[in-house]
């Protein structure tokens, strides 16, 4: 996660303002054939890319590089960085600390 924020001091107390956060995701492929690399290059240069085919999950590919592998197989390795277009902040792993909250039967009498 990348966060940018400004800081101000008022009345001897420090506060943050203009807080902006964004999640950037990185992807590195395994070795790709020239045909697979051509498909990936079309994806990386597309204007409209979605995750899992959902229109509500539009993503922006912010940076990409690719290189030829060091051996004689002429396979490519691609790396790219992407983020959600709507700058949503998502949890990588759901918080499980409250897994048992709201599992007890509700009682309307005060105890």
């Amino acid at each position: 996660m990348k966060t940018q924020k400004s800081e101000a001091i008022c009345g001897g107390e420090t506060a943050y303002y203009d807080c902006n956060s964004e999640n950037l995701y990185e992807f590195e492929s395994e070795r790709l054939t020239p045909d697979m690399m051509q498909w990936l290059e079309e994806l990386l240069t597309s204007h409209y890319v979605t995750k899992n085919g959902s229109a509500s999950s539009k993503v922006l590919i912010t940076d990409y590089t690719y290189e030829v592998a060091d051996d004689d197989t002429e396979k490519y390795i691609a790396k790219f960085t992407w983020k959600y277009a709507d700058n949503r902040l998502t949890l990588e792993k759901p918080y499980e600390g409250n897994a048992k909250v709201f599992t007890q039967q509700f009682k309307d009498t005060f105890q």
Side-chain angles (χ1 to χ4, degrees), residues 11-27:
E13 188 172 314
T14 304
Y16 292 120
Y17 67 97
D18 287 339
C19 298
N20 296 313
S21 298
E22 66 180 358
N23 282 342
L24 294 175
Y25 303 92
E26 293 183 0
F27 172 82

Side-chain angles (χ1 to χ4, degrees), residues 56-101:
S56 64
S57 297
K58 185 176 178 188
V59 299
L60 300 174
I61 298 173
T62 59
D63 185 33
Y64 64 91
T65 59
Y66 52 92
E67 56 194 42
V68 178
D70 293 333
D71 59 12
D72 294 336
T73 60
E74 291 191 22
K75 303 254 179 164
Y76 297 88
I77 298 173
K79 300 175 189 176
F80 64 89
T81 306
W82 65 275
K83 65 179 184 176
Y84 286 103
D86 60 2
N87 288 325
R88 74 177 82 166
L89 297 178
T90 58
L91 294 175
E92 296 298 319
K93 182 179 179 184
Y95 179 66
E96 297 174 4
N98 291 335
K100 294 187 179 183
V101 173

Side-chain angles (χ1 to χ4, degrees), residues 21-38:
S21 298
E22 66 180 358
N23 282 342
L24 294 175
Y25 303 92
E26 293 183 0
F27 172 82
E28 181 173 350
S29 73
E30 296 184 7
R31 296 174 182 215
L32 304 172
T33 64
D35 289 339
M36 294 166 72
M37 191 59 211
Q38 182 179 2

Side-chain angles (χ1 to χ4, degrees), residues 41-53:
E41 189 172 3
E42 289 177 17
L43 171 76
L44 296 175
T45 57
S46 295
H47 294 287
Y48 190 81
V49 179
T50 61
K51 183 178 179 200
N52 299 328

